């Protein structure tokens, strides 16, 4: 599998309406000011991994719009604008298009009745795993697979039972290393990877990102951190407590390409 090198990231500042974002957690409402500070630290972590980061202004229309990963899949050869499955996120995908057009000439779209959120898509070299979740349906996955194949890539689906998104529970760290939590640790789809187990009490931390050799992970999860460091990755920890309150993690907050 080829190892990508990312040059760019796009992030969107959290909006004040963030407090009305979707959540399944019992952790209370996020603090807006603290979320802004944590978002800045996250952005700095991306910069320190060598990325040029484009920062989009907050969008008060969509409470969850800081979780920008979900509205587009950016591959080396094409961009795909998704079609979010959550009703309060419908239309959010249109807001990303102008930013994407600056970087991509090949832009594809997922259309109704297909729904897909890119938090459900994990890139491993030329192959993309697509989680079938409450947000991503079979038709969305079918359309995405056809688009990826048209552009010389491939995909397969993974049925999710408990996770919000596929990348809630898995993170690919290149070199065949895969962080895996819960139902995905022993899932047959990931049999051939060298897995890094996430203990149940640290499940939130499974949502990490590999950026040009470094792993960016949420602060406060020492067992997983130790396991990642044991595989010789430099680690940057970022406090993401306010985003956790909305089920969002390290991957959700940026598009990396
Ligand atoms: C949502 O439920 O849509 C947001 N509150 C969290 C989205 C997290 N995104 C991701 O895992 N890719």
């Amino acid at each position: 599998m080829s190892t990508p090198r990312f040059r760019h990231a796009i992030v969107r500042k959290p909006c004040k309406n963030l407090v009305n974002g979707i959540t399944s957690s019992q952790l209370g409402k996020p603090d807006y000011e603290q979320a802004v500070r944590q978002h800045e630290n996250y952005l700095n972590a991306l910069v320190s991994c060598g990325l040029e980061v484009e920062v989009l202004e907050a969008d008060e229309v969509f409470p969850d719009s800081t979780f920008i990963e979900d509205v587009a899949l950016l591959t080396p050869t094409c961009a795909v604008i998704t079609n979010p499955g959550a009703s309060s996120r419908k239309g959010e995908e249109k807001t990303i298009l102008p930013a994407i057009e600056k970087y991509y000439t090949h832009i594809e779209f997922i259309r109704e009745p297909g729904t897909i959120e890119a938090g459900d898509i994990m890139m491993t070299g030329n192959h993309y795993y697509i989680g079938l979740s409450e947000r991503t349906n079979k038709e969305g996955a079918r359309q995405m697979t056809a688009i990826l194949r048209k552009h010389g890539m491939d995909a397969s689906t993974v049925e999710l039972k408990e996770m919000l998104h596929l990348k809630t529970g898995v993170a690919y760290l290149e070199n065949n290393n895969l962080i895996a939590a819960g139902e995905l640790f022993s899932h047959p789809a990931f049999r051939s990877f060298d897995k890094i187990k996430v203990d149940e009490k640290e499940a939130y931390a499974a949502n990490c990102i590999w950026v040009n050799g470094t792993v960016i992970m949420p602060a406060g999860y020492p067992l997983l951190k130790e396991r990642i460091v044991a595989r010789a990755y430099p680690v940057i920890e970022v406090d993401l407590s306010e985003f956790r309150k909305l089920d969002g993690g390290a991957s959700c907050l940026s598009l990396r390409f």
Side-chain angles (χ1 to χ4, degrees):
M1 270 174 202
S2 64
T3 299
R5 179 162 182 94
F6 299 121
R7 292 180 53 207
H8 302 279
I10 305 175
V11 300
R12 187 181 289 284
K13 289 181 189 169
C15 61
K16 294 200 172 81
N17 204 9
L18 176 84
V19 295
N20 296 313
I22 312 167
T23 187
S24 65
S25 87
Q26 310 292 319
L27 300 169
K29 296 251 183 226
D31 179 283
Y32 167 70
E33 305 290 344
Q34 206 179 331
V36 167
R37 281 193 295 276
Q38 291 181 354
H39 194 260
E40 280 167 10
N41 292 338
Y42 173 82
L43 190 160
N44 290 335
L46 295 176
V47 170
S48 71
C49 293
L51 300 189
E52 224 167 79
V53 184
E54 174 159 358
V55 184
L56 305 182
E57 284 309 315
D59 182 347
E60 296 293 341
V61 176
F62 296 102
D64 286 297
S65 51
T66 195
F67 303 114
I68 195 169
E69 168 180 72
D70 292 321
V71 292
L73 178 73
L74 303 183
T75 80
T77 46
C78 69
V80 188
I81 306 296
T82 68
N83 185 23
S87 53
S88 66
R89 302 194 68 178
K90 293 217 175 279
E92 198 183 301
E93 73 284 358
K94 295 190 176 66
T95 65
I96 190 73
L97 191 55
I100 303 294
E101 282 171 338
K102 286 196 231 160
Y103 300 96
Y104 282 90
T105 45
H106 298 294
I107 303 179
E108 309 267 3
F109 297 85
I110 302 296
R111 305 191 190 274
E112 291 288 338
T115 66
I116 194 159
E117 296 183 3
D120 271 321
I121 308 176
M122 181 176 73
M123 176 178 77
T124 60
N126 217 28
H127 189 91
Y128 292 72
Y129 289 89
I130 305 177
L132 297 173
S133 67
E134 283 186 10
R135 306 289 180 88
T136 295
N137 64 18
K138 285 190 177 150
E139 173 57 16
R142 188 198 64 74
Q143 291 180 30
M144 182 62 79
T145 303
I147 291 167
L148 291 170
R149 287 186 179 152
K150 183 177 132 189
H151 290 274
M153 295 163 278
D154 205 358
S156 55
T157 56
V158 180
E159 200 118 10
L160 300 178
K161 296 190 183 82
E162 300 155 11
M163 308 267 172
L164 168 62
H165 287 126
L166 178 67
K167 283 186 289 187
T168 308
V170 279
Y172 186 53
L173 305 187
E174 304 300 318
N175 300 315
N176 210 43
N177 289 321
L178 183 79
I179 292 177
E183 62 181 299
L184 299 178
F185 184 76
S186 46
H187 196 291
F190 303 117
R191 196 184 293 121
S192 63
F193 289 93
D194 297 319
K195 283 186 282 282
I196 302 175
K197 192 175 169 51
V198 185
D199 292 7
E200 206 182 320
K201 64 178 179 192
E202 292 198 347
Y204 171 71
N207 187 255
C208 294
I209 47 173
W210 175 98
V211 187
N212 300 338
T214 295
V215 177
I216 300 178
M217 70 176 293
Y221 301 88
L223 297 176
L224 182 60
K225 183 183 175 189
E226 197 179 302
R227 288 170 198 168
I228 297 171
V229 169
R231 302 257 177 131
Y233 292 97
V235 168
I236 301 178
E237 289 179 279
V238 185
D239 188 359
L240 298 176
S241 65
E242 300 317 291
F243 303 103
R244 183 184 178 195
K245 291 174 182 170
L246 297 174
D247 305 329
S251 80
C252 324
L253 291 169
S254 62
L255 289 162
R256 304 158 300 279
F257 56 106

